[in-house]
Amino acid sequence: MKPTIAAGIIATMAAAYSSFADATIVEFQTSQGSFQVNLFDQKTPNTVDNFLGYVDRGDYRSSYIHRSVSNFIVQGGAYTFDDQSEIIATQSPVVNEPVYSNVAGTIAMAKRSGDKNSATSQWFFNVGDNSANLDLQNGGFTVFGQVIGDGLEIVKKINSMDTCDDVPVTNYTADECRQGATLTSANLMMINDIVIIDSDPNSAIDLSPVENTLIADSETDSSSGAAWWLAPLALLVALRRKSAKALN
């Protein structure tokens, strides 16, 4: 076989392999059950590396879901809770990679309003098809993985929980929320841990993620409605006040 032909075959095989290479699977172990997420390492490498940095250090251990909007999103990665709420220390912001669409069952990065390259530790699951909004807003929200198996049912279960100031809660009434009653980890939707369970490069071969075609057709970098995407400090203060009562 001529060297040029052999080189061409190798290049073609490498290109085909790269379409599903480096596809890590992580497991979210939560107080509402465990589910798995297949990450898009090859297509969103910066975002996946950023996320796995937090996972490798155990930063998401004993964290909780701090925002849930019905039929829209479930958001976490901001705070841990052990007697009181604490902010997760963040890495440097990651460059935006709006390759895939914010359809139901995907995980994407939260970021600051008006700054498309500001994502750090916070992520959210798309409960419904949010592509018409989030694929364009603020440079497009980077989707970097997809829930697999029956995981979306657990995400929807979390999304159906009662909320106190958008924080999903259990065994905590609306009156207790209004009165600022004692709040413990037993009342929160806890992320016990996020762990890597499969780093097989072939793990995403059967996935067919939806591409973000809207961002390519628009030069508009809209940040409308994005101000709430990063968890407010006021929420941290409120939870600290509530949890402090349990210590007195």
Side-chain angles (χ1 to χ4, degrees), residues 3-77:
T4 54
I5 296 177
I9 293 174
I10 292 172
T12 300
M13 292 176 63
Y17 179 80
S18 68
S19 66
F20 55 81
D22 302 325
T24 305
I25 297 177
V26 296
E27 184 171 79
F28 282 66
Q29 301 171 349
T30 85
S31 57
Q32 294 294 324
S34 296
F35 60 92
Q36 297 174 5
V37 176
N38 212 142
L39 306 181
F40 303 139
D41 305 48
Q42 188 65 29
K43 296 296 186 179
T44 57
N46 296 325
T47 306
V48 171
D49 284 349
N50 173 74
F51 177 77
L52 291 180
Y54 293 99
V55 170
D56 289 342
R57 287 190 302 274
D59 292 338
Y60 294 132
R61 192 172 298 132
S62 298
S63 63
Y64 61 93
I65 299 299
H66 66 266
R67 186 174 182 85
S68 178
V69 181
S70 182
N71 298 315
F72 183 39
I73 58 97
V74 166
Q75 186 173 346

Side-chain angles (χ1 to χ4, degrees), residues 27-171:
E27 184 171 79
F28 282 66
Q29 301 171 349
T30 85
S31 57
Q32 294 294 324
S34 296
F35 60 92
Q36 297 174 5
V37 176
N38 212 142
L39 306 181
F40 303 139
D41 305 48
Q42 188 65 29
K43 296 296 186 179
T44 57
N46 296 325
T47 306
V48 171
D49 284 349
N50 173 74
F51 177 77
L52 291 180
Y54 293 99
V55 170
D56 289 342
R57 287 190 302 274
D59 292 338
Y60 294 132
R61 192 172 298 132
S62 298
S63 63
Y64 61 93
I65 299 299
H66 66 266
R67 186 174 182 85
S68 178
V69 181
S70 182
N71 298 315
F72 183 39
I73 58 97
V74 166
Q75 186 173 346
Y79 307 124
T80 59
F81 195 99
D82 183 9
D83 292 331
Q84 68 176 17
S85 190
E86 299 290 347
I87 296 175
I88 292 175
T90 59
Q91 302 171 153
S92 298
V94 62
V95 175
N96 200 39
E97 298 173 303
V99 178
Y100 291 126
S101 184
N102 285 267
V103 295
T106 57
I107 184 173
M109 295 302 295
K111 52 189 174 179
R112 296 185 183 282
S113 176
D115 187 351
K116 64 183 180 181
N117 297 319
S118 61
T120 54
S121 67
Q122 294 185 49
W123 39 262
F124 62 91
F125 288 101
N126 286 294
V127 179
D129 184 352
N130 301 320
S131 56
N133 178 13
L134 302 187
D135 284 4
L136 280 173
Q137 188 184 119
N138 200 7
F141 285 83
T142 296
V143 167
F144 64 99
Q146 173 180 324
V147 176
I148 57 178
D150 60 356
L152 184 55
E153 295 307 309
I154 297 178
V155 173
K156 288 181 177 179
K157 180 182 178 182
I158 296 169
N159 192 233
S160 68
M161 294 172 64
D162 292 334
T163 58
C164 176
D165 298 329
D166 285 340
V167 179
V169 291
T170 183
N171 298 320

